[in-house]
Amino acid sequence: NILRLSVFIKLDGEEKFYLLLCNPSSFSSCSRAKDVTMPAKLPVNFFSTRSPVIDLFRGQLDYADQLRQDSEIVLYFFYAPWCGQSIAAREEIERVASRLSDQVLFVAVNCWWNQGKCRKQKHFFYFPVIHLYHRSFGPIEYKGPMSAVYIEKFVRRVMTPLLYISSRSKLLDFLSNYEPGVVGFFEFNASPQPPGYLTFFTSALHSLKKDYLGTIRFGVVTDKRVAEEISLVHSGSVYLHRHANTSLIYPKDIMNFTAENICKWALENREMLIRWLRPHGGKSLLLNNELKKGPALLIFIPYNPLEEIHPLLDEITKVALEYHKCNKSQAAEPDLQHVGDSDSPAFDSSVTDAHAKFSETFPIAKSPCCNTVVLPQWHSISRTHNVCELCVNQTLGVKPNKVHVPHCNFLEIEAALDSFYLQEHTFFQVISNTIECSNFLSFYSPFSYYTACCRTVNRHFLSFISSEKTIFQTPKVAFSSHGKKDNTQFSIPHIEDRNCFIPDLNISSTNITGLSCRTNKTLNLYLLDSNLFWIYAERLGASRSTHLKEFAAIVDLKEEVHYVLDQNQSLVGPTLENFIKNFSVLYSPLKRHLVDDPSVHFHEEHVVTEVTTNTFHETVFLSAKNVLLLYYAQWCGFCASLNHIFIQLARLLPPDSFTVARIDVTRNDLPWEFMTDRLPTILFFPHQRKEQSVKFPEDFSVNLPNLLKFILHHSSLSSSEPCTKECLHKESVLQQGHISHLEREIQKLRSEISALHQAHDQLEAQLSEARREEQRLQQQKHTLEKQHKTLQLHSDQLQATYDQKNQELLEMAEKLQELADASENLLKENALLRILVASRGGKLQSKDEIKESLQSEQTLSEDNDISLSTATAALEEKRIDNIDTIETEHSSGNRTE
């Protein structure tokens, strides 16, 4: 009894077949009989034969290298034939190849076949992989979206890594882009390639190799007059343009002029006002790492990188530039900004004059380093606060550097707060709708002083927009001595709206200018292509039925909130500005967006109500019933085991007074005060005290009696007011209703119990019948086992008989083989005898002829010599002997035949 197991394994394209011989009683004692290996199937063409892509489906990497030597730009597409991403990207690569095949060589290499050189030399962890080569430079790996437009854009960047800037207008267009720009000045008068040009060209390729998004653009200027616009005088100089910070020139005296150093310098000092996010679809920490940096404004727009004009992107860029345009960074910008950008408010001379006059009368604007302080309520029943802005300022004796923007010192702020809290009583009980400012001299420096501007605001103060008409007027502030206050006659909302405090602000434009430097809620701006990543927008709250895929949301990971821009409003500059301003104010009017579960369908027959984000407030707080709410999740196995308990509980409780509900916390967002970190969680909301929710004790087991006791205990608490006769009557009626309801439920339970008893009896009868059937089957089993043993003995006897007969047959076969060999030998001897008889017959015939001749001679001469007769007699005797021998041989030949 040997069990044969067949094991089929396919590994690396090779198919292997294993035959195992095992003992059925012990599968651990198995031995491998033999191996059968089937070679991998030969690969076939991945691309069409008519495709412009050269398909090396056998992995001929050496031939691909030979092709690369004859082309300037080469794109390698490494794929695996079974890979779904490779199959999906095949069509995109063919589209790009159909457009650029006359300039770029497209080569596809099968890097999965185990006999190919690509598989032996390359070790990729994913497919497909795209490498580009610019002559001998490479490989430049492309890690962007596998879309034809993005791949073509990247290939074109590799083809022309430098943009030729021939005129002043092109230079302004190049520098006005939101992406950081690096400009190199090289004079081509002396030689075809001036010193340093190839190094600068290679640095542009290095930047594409290190940053596949291509966020840094490289340009080259050959006209000396154009180069002088950005203060480039000497050939070989490199300039890094930045909008909100000081632009830089490559320090040749400190760093060697190499391609790697130029690329490193540009990447380390670049300015990222807006950043593109392109998740690759797999596991990644890209979004998590960016959101951990602070509040983020995510803007989803349809984007085609091949288009030359992007009006919506230009409008978003303007908003980003205004948002990051701080007062001191503008003063540090090069003179180029004063040449052509006349539309920018920073270049308005009238505004500059106004700012100069304003700075003379308001020294706080020189170098504000401020902190917001919210004082406690002045009375327990008050819903107002005194909000102050505490600033550290320098006197006119100390001038800040125009290039190096000073940073806010934490020690100075701490000292200012200490001095302020010593004078807290001065601002504590003041109720005023106007700004009241006081300055405090510093105890540490004679050139520093502290300024506190305070006003009283309501907790629900949202009149930010309505106050814009008054905030742009210059307040007349006269600084008094220590501890004294001077009132201003203008009502403005605290720190985020103090545009009059910023001297470089365009008063006629929007007050978003420089807002990133004037608030603690600085936003990081990100762009996502809605054509590729609209699923992220839907998860944040975008409508799935919209045709125009434009969406904006602010995500604050630290506060665990996010806000959504109304999709009924068009995504334009003013809308984004208002969205940013409303988020930046101290008391933001934005409403937190809560994700709802769209898959929930409500049915009246459900005894347990399913609650979502949209129905949470209505079901729990606005309802006049007592609410028992279960927090659960689909992955929570213990939560699912409580479903039948809550269904029974919902049937027991009167539906006119109690609501049993549940909410899926993984599909719905909850207000932070009702969040939980443990599942399942059960909360009870009494109908008269919804704000005093009670949590089911965790040390109690969740069962029907405990839940009933918990609900009845917390729903029957006495009210703080004395109960009247009418109240007692209502309470008695309610209790009677509860009692009648419970009696009906008890009657239902009794009927169910009787039905269960009947079912129990039927089950007992079925069990007894099953037992009898089991005994009958046991008897049949024993009978079959006996028959099996008998058949086994008979089988053994037959096997022995078979072995004996087989042995006899083998012996008989051996004997027959011996007889056959003897017969063959006899046949050979018989043939030899026949030949011998034939030869003897010929000899006898010749002797007869001799005898006749002798007789004739005897008649002629009777007197022959006696010797002759003697010889004849001897010959006769010999003849007789030969005849006897022949006859003997003939008779033996007959016997043989």
Side-chain angles (χ1 to χ4, degrees), residues 23-48:
N23 187 354
S25 61
S26 176
F27 280 97
S28 60
S29 60
C30 294
S31 60
R32 193 172 69 181
K34 59 180 179 179
D35 298 346
V36 179
T37 303
M38 181 182 298
K41 296 180 180 179
L42 293 177
V44 296
N45 285 313
F46 189 71
F47 286 84
S48 173

Side-chain angles (χ1 to χ4, degrees), residues 486-542:
D486 292 327
N487 296 339
T488 59
Q489 57 183 352
F490 301 100
S491 175
I492 67 172
H494 192 47
I495 181 173
E496 286 82 4
D497 309 319
R498 54 175 181 82
N499 297 331
C500 56
F501 290 177
I502 306 299
D504 291 319
L505 177 66
N506 181 12
I507 298 177
S508 62
S509 65
T510 62
N511 61 348
I512 197 177
T513 306
L515 186 57
S516 63
C517 306
R518 298 185 283 113
T519 178
N520 292 331
K521 297 181 178 180
T522 303
L523 284 170
N524 299 317
L525 276 62
Y526 299 98
L527 292 172
L528 292 95
D529 189 354
S530 58
N531 295 325
L532 301 176
F533 310 111
W534 187 246
I535 185 173
Y536 294 96
E538 292 179 353
R539 188 67 183 90
L540 289 172

